[in-house]
């Protein structure tokens, strides 16, 4: 191999984290992210190229295919869910190009909550009991059947804003009102785990489990967000968590998708709740999680480009097990102060940090850009929502946390805030043991 050229589609922290990991793979010669963000543009400082990458709409299949051709990409990695659901991976493959990411038909595992539930039922995968509701009367009946706390989910894609978990019945009804059809489901108690499997549709390889922090405020209070922090691996994970999830969730789901003639190849994101009655699937996603990816990939020792190309070309069975570095990563997301209810746009982020923190990934701490932009003078500003992900690495969770927070506190971004408790309970050994899987 003379060196792979890889195109990553997307513009968030996940795509920056993917690009950093791809760039570390000795088999990879070039990485481009389109449309990218100031963090990824800084990785290949060619203004003409950046302008072309930045102009791309990742959901425009013909434009993506043309760009992949022009760049001579050996592999295109689709970061977010929207282009997958829109069929961009299908269009790339139809054009004879290798793509890591499921077909539109397979991405329905993320694109429709009720479809995911049907697949889980057919495959015998443990998940919360649920009702799909088309009217508010059906919602009211389902809320009363399951009782509080209530869980109401928009059926289609919602960019992290489709789910309400609340004990207030009126709030649950109000959430459903604007989003019909919805899925109402049984509340799942217990720690949540994000387990990612890379698959070519037949063979699947797990990544180490991570935990995401979905709520807006410390102590898991406030509304759901896209995720405000993550850590990996989980020191408290029960033995067998990964193998049980592969056996009871991933393998049967992949078999069911293949049986339907729509094999799932790409990244299967399994969101789990470890309840007192055993593990349950909370959700599937059809792509790498954000911000978990920024906490997982720095620990990967095997070359990411090699792994994703093997998955994209149906050769995952020939790749040995993945190898991982020791230690832990903690990602702290710095979001704008209004996120998620009243996202603010703008606000300077000053780069006066002593270690060139913003642009230069170091070994123990680095920053991924999630929602940044450049102003007319080329200064870094916040584009709203989740703005930066600060990733600390260490031999234990306490040190990884300390590094991430020390770096986050050195970033001069008056419009930003972060949760202060990412990975805290795990670092202090306060997560109660999981009794059964
Ligand atoms: P989802 O988009 O389905 O992952 O939901 C977003 C978040 O809402 C999850 O990560 C959980 O924190 C929470 N959630 C979703 N479904 C349930 C459930 N059945 N019980 C408790 N919490 C849930
Ligand atoms: N961190 C949750 C997600 O990527 O959907």
């Amino acid at each position: 191999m003379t060196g792979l050229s890889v195109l990553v589609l997307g513009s968030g922290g996940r795509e920056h984290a993917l690009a950093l990991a791809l760039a570390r793979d000795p088999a990879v010669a070039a990485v481009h992210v389109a449309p990218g963000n100031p963090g990824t543009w800084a990785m290949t400082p060619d203004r003409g190229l950046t302008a072309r990458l930045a102009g791309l709409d990742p959901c425009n299949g013909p434009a993506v295919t043309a760009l992949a051709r022009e760049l001579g990409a050996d592999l295109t990695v689709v970061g977010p869910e929207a282009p997958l659901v829109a069929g961009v991976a299908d269009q790339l493959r139809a054009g004879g190009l290798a793509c890591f990411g499921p077909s539109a038909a397979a991405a329905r595992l993320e694109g429709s909550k009720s479809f995911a539930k049907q697949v889980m039922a057919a495959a015998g995968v443990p998940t919360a009991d649920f009702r799909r509701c088309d009217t508010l009367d059906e919602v009211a009946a389902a809320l009363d059947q399951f009782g509080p706390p209530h869980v109401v989910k928009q059926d289609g894609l919602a960019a992290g804003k489709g789910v309400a978990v609340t004990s207030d019945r009126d709030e649950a009804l109000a959430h459903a009102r604007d989003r019909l059809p919805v899925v109402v489901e049984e509340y799942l108690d217990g720690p949540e785990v994000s387990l990612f499997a890379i698959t070519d549709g037949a063979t699947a390889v797990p990544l180490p489990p991570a935990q995401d922090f979905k709520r807006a405020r410390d102590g898991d209070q406030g509304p759901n967000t896209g995720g405000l922090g993550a850590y990996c691996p989980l020191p408290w994970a029960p033995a067998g968590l990964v193998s049980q999830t592969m056996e009871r969730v991933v393998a049967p789901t992949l078999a069911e998708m293949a049986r339907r003639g729509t094999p799932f190849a790409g990244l299967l994101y399994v969101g789990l709740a470890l309840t007192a009655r055993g593990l349950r699937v909370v959700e599937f996603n059809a792509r790498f999680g954000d911000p978990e990816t920024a906490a997982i990939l720095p620990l990967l020792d095997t070359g990411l480009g090699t792994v994703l190309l093997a998955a994209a070309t149906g050769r995952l069975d020939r790749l040995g097990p993945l190898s991982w570095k020791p230690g832990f990563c903690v990602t702290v997301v710095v979001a704008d102060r209004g996120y998620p209810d009243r996202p603010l746009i703008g606000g300077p982020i000053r780069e006066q940090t002593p270690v060139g923190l913003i642009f230069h990934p170091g070994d123990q701490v680095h920053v991924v850009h999630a929602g940044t932009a450049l102003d007319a003078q080329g200064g870094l500003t916040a584009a709203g929502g989740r703005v930066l992900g600060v990733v600390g690495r260490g031999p234990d969770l306490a040190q990884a946390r300390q590094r991430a927070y020390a770096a986050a506190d050195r970033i001069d971004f008056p419009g930003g805030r972060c949760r202060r408790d990412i990975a805290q309970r795990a670092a202090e050994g306060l997560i109660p043991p999981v009794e059964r899987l």
Side-chain angles (χ1 to χ4, degrees), residues 216-237:
R217 318 229 158 261
D218 285 16
D220 294 328
Q221 303 297 308
N224 263 317
T225 70
L228 287 183
Y231 65 95
C232 175
L234 312 178
W236 53 269

Side-chain angles (χ1 to χ4, degrees), residues 22 36 61 77 97 107 115 130 148 181-182 204 212 222 229 270 317 368 380 392 397:
L22 286 163
V77 179
L97 298 169
F115 174 77
F130 77 104
V182 296
D212 181 17
V270 182
D317 59 340
V368 294
L380 198 62
L397 268 185

